[in-house]
């Protein structure tokens, strides 16, 4: 008698695998889940870019730019910045200053 393979119990069937060729309309399913299969190349123009905001700013637009990048409200970023600055003795203020120097300002359209 043969020994069971791996951790499977004797008499259990092996795991099934779905082959794309066996799946009708697989290209439509993949396109619906992941976009068209023809757009599987890297396009740097589609990437979000971290920029300091010109319109949503209090000091330099760093919090507004971070909020735009992540798609959240700028007030939340500002509250988190102030709260962590109070807790961590000012480290976020140094990071804000670094962002002011390193993050480019958004272009005017």
């Amino acid at each position: 008698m043969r020994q069971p393979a791996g951790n499977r119990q004797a008499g259990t069937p092996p795991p099934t695998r779905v082959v794309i060729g066996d799946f009708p309309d697989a290209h439509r399913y993949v396109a619906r889940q992941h976009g068209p299969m023809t757009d599987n190349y890297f396009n740097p123009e589609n990437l979000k870019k971290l920029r300091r905001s010109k319109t949503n700013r209090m000091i330099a637009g760093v919090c507004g730019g971070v909020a735009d990048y992540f798609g959240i409200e700028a007030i939340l970023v500002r509250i988190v910045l102030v709260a962590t600055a109070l807790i961590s003795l000012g480290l976020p203020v140094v990071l804000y200053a670094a962002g002011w120097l390193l993050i480019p300002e958004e272009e005017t359209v």
Side-chain angles (χ1 to χ4, degrees):
M1 185 167 181
R2 289 181 28 185
Q3 294 289 334
N7 294 338
R8 288 189 301 141
Q9 296 289 332
T12 58
T16 56
R17 295 183 182 179
V18 175
V19 179
I20 296 272
D22 295 341
F23 187 54
D25 297 328
H27 63 283
R28 289 188 185 135
Y29 174 78
V30 171
R32 194 169 48 244
Q33 296 296 320
H34 305 290
M37 295 179 81
T38 58
D39 292 338
N40 288 338
Y41 60 90
F42 175 72
N43 187 357
E45 294 176 3
N46 293 339
L47 293 177
K48 284 182 165 181
K49 295 179 181 166
L50 181 58
R51 301 279 189 242
R52 290 187 293 124
S53 177
K54 282 187 172 183
T55 57
N56 194 2
R57 64 169 45 188
M58 291 288 198
I59 299 173
V62 176
C63 290
V66 170
D68 290 342
Y69 184 78
F70 288 109
I72 58 177
E73 291 291 324
I75 190 68
L76 296 175
V77 177
R78 292 182 184 117
I79 290 171
V80 168
L81 178 81
V82 170
T84 55
L86 294 174
I87 293 170
S88 66
L89 303 173
L91 178 64
V93 176
V94 174
L95 294 176
Y96 187 92
W100 192 346
L101 294 173
L102 299 175
I103 299 173
E105 198 167 41
E106 69 182 356
E107 295 89 18
T108 321
V109 178

